[in-house]
């Protein structure tokens, strides 16, 4: 590693909660000796599989909640089942192995665009995920509470248990947002390599990918496979600089770009990003997140997304890669096995949103909507397989 292990501490960590210092120290010390949630060799195995994704020999299907909730362990099985069903539908079309990765067992911290939010007419500090504070409106509910870090560690451990029992082939991923937590769970293997032990694959969010920020510096110090979310403000130069910082050795499978440009902008913005990165020779995988660029407020005020926009961004992503002759690496979605009404389309109208809107953060596809998306993507990808073998 070219990055000194502690240099991230001198940089600005955007989105860092205002933790009470002493209480944070106690929790961090406790987590520093807690059992690892994933093993280095499992992380290396995922890196190897992602190397196949970059080369078109495998396909990544990554999905789960926007924000996991404490106490929702019973829903894990349904999410795993859905993820595997989506993987099966897509594998049948692409005729290469699918790598299933859950947004789970650690997806408890949320970056926010604004420091406050209005709930029932009251302005409150924003909810930042169960790792940080609560969704309630009472005094103290929104205060960052370091004790929560230990609770989300235990919930992640329980989720890993469910994953091992019902779906040992599914890897665990989350946004590596809270560096105090991630550093406390960093472990060193026999060869002296540092690994995040909180999940196999960690990603840097679109709000924390600053080249001089603490997140990029911290991610550079761990050997896990990692991803970076790229939103519409990303320049090709930034993408190239991220590669230099995060994958200086150009290790196949190390770095994945999860692109979330929005259905309306993907055709304009994606070609130059992919063309310049491809020309540099860097072995990155390109994964489509058709969710985060397509969020809007419904007439009822609910944060929602249209299945039609999600499908349109996915189709445009595939088209752009096909035109450039590059590989579609995978799909990244927010979904749940429950029959929620959070996104519109596939039988859910605006009037249905209040009925079962359960997400604490972004709207998820329900089971039917997620399967519809997987089937549509399979059709698009099958077309490519057919063209290639004609
Ligand atoms: C997310 O994945 O929930 C998220 C906040 O994404 P992004 O960083 O792409 O906005
Ligand atoms: Co989200």
């Amino acid at each position: 590693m070219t990055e000194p292990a502690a240099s991230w501490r001198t940089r600005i960590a955007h989105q860092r909660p205002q933790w009470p210092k002493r209480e944070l120290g106690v929790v961090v010390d406790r987590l520093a000796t807690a059992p690892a949630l994933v093993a280095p060799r499992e992380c290396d195995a995922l890196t190897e599989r992602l190397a196949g994704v970059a080369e078109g020999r495998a396909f990544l299907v990554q999905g789960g909640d926007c924000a996991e909730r404490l106490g929702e362990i019973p829903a894990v099985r349904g999410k795993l089942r859905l993820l595997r069903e989506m993987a099966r539908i897509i594998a049948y079309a692409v005729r290469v192995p699918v790598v299933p990765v859950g947004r789970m067992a650690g997806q408890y911290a949320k970056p926010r665009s604004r420091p406050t939010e209005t709930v029932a007419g009251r302005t409150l500090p924003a909810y930042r995920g169960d790792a940080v504070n609560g969704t309630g409106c009472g005094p103290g509910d929104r205060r960052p509470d370091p004790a929560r870090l230990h609770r989300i560690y235990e919930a992640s451990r329980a989720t890993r248990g469910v994953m091992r029992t019902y779906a040992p082939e599914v890897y665990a991923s989350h946004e590596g947002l809270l560096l105090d937590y991630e550093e406390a769970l960093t472990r060193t293997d026999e060869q002296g390599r540092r690994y995040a032990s909180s999940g196999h694959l960690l990603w840097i969010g679109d709000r924390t990918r600053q080249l001089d920020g603490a997140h990029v510096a911290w991610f550079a110090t761990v050997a896990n496979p990692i991803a970076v979310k790229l939103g519409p403000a990303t320049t090709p130069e930034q993408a190239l600089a991220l590669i230099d910082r995060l994958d200086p050795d150009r290790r196949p499978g190390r770095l994945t770009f999860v692109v979330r440009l929005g259905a309306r902008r993907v055709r304009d913005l994606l070609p130059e990003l992919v063309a310049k990165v491809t020309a540099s020779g860097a072995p990155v995988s390109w994964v489509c997140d058709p969710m985060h660029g397509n969020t809007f407020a419904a007439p009822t005020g609910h944060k929602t997304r249209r299945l039609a926009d999600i499908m349109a961004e996915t189709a445009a992503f595939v088209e752009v890669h096909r035109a450039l002759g590059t590989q579609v690496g995978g799909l990244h979605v927010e979904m749940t096995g429950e029959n929620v009404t959070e996104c519109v389309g596939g039988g859910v109208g605006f009037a249905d949103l209040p009925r079962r809107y359960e997400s604490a953060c972004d709207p998820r596809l329900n089971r039917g909507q997620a399967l519809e998306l997987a089937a549509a993507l399979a059709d698009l990808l099958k077309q490519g397989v057919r063209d290639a073998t004609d």
Side-chain angles (χ1 to χ4, degrees), residues 369-380:
Q369 292 167 332
L371 291 174
E372 205 173 319
L373 174 64
L377 175 60
D379 275 345
L380 294 163

Side-chain angles (χ1 to χ4, degrees), residues 1 40-41 44 186-195 221-223 251:
M1 291 294 138
R41 75 186 133 70
D44 290 348
T186 302
R187 302 287 177 267
T188 303
D189 76 355
E190 295 81 20
Q191 281 95 55
R193 288 174 307 179
R194 275 163 53 84
Y195 284 83
T221 70
V222 294
R251 189 155 61 97

